[in-house]
Amino acid sequence: MYKRILVAVDDSATSNAALDEAITLAKALGAALRIVHVADEAPVRSTVGLEALLDVAQVEEAMRKAGNALLEAAVKKAADAGVLADSALLESDDKIELAHKRVAEWIVEGANAWQADVIVAGTHGRRGFARLFVGNVAEDLVRLATTSLVLVRGK
């Protein structure tokens, strides 16, 4: 069964449900748990002219701080449930890489590097225009993941 569980969080209700599921699985299986968050800086770095309106480096630093705070809270939640977890903020210093990499690619690369047996992620189950405008990380994970995948539907 699963020995290394990676869960992706983003502070949404569905990712909180995925975190709960990953904690439950890790506890039941005695598995290692890694909690990851993607600092998706691509929209900030790729918006033409944004540098004239705000300090991009400051925005990126705020994103990192928020991501680390989210991870810290998630690790605490796991610890409170009796599960030891570690965490990783997934990001890059390479501007070209950031502009072309999707969130799901970051998650899959993080899972492969950590040698996860399974990825747990939330899914909103959006359809139609909502899916087109917001994107769908879960759908990309289904296409890209090389490990087992557990998708947890939001309420």
Side-chain angles (χ1 to χ4, degrees):
M1 206 56 197
Y2 307 128
K3 298 288 183 208
R4 297 172 71 83
I5 300 169
L6 182 134
V7 59
V9 297
D10 67 3
D11 202 26
S12 67
T14 54
S15 83
N16 289 335
L19 177 60
D20 291 342
E21 184 71 18
I23 290 169
T24 299
L25 278 173
K27 190 170 187 174
L29 300 172
L33 178 62
R34 171 163 283 185
I35 305 166
V36 299
H37 174 73
V38 177
D40 188 12
E41 300 161 359
V44 175
R45 289 194 181 199
S46 63
T47 304
V48 177
L50 195 57
E51 298 85 8
L53 299 174
L54 51 93
D55 183 347
V56 173
Q58 188 176 14
V59 171
E60 290 172 347
E61 182 57 29
M63 289 174 70
R64 278 187 215 97
K65 283 183 181 178
N68 283 321
L70 174 67
L71 289 170
E72 190 176 305
V75 167
K76 182 182 182 325
K77 183 176 187 176
D80 290 347
V83 174
L84 183 63
D86 73 350
S87 65
L89 183 68
L90 306 178
E91 63 179 338
S92 174
D93 291 329
D94 183 342
K95 291 181 183 184
I96 294 172
E97 182 181 44
L98 277 172
H100 296 96
K101 197 178 271 191
R102 296 173 292 178
V103 170
E105 290 175 290
W106 285 103
I107 295 168
V108 168
E109 285 181 11
N112 291 341
W114 189 63
Q115 298 179 335
D117 299 313
V118 63
I119 299 169
V120 180
T123 179
H124 296 280
R126 290 187 182 106
R127 299 170 64 146
F129 284 116
R131 191 180 108 235
L132 289 174
F133 289 124
V134 178
N136 193 331
V137 173
E139 184 176 331
D140 287 345
L141 282 172
V142 169
R143 292 186 176 135
L144 299 171
T146 56
T147 65
S148 294
L149 183 62
V150 174
L151 296 179
V152 179
R153 185 175 290 282
K155 297 181 176 163

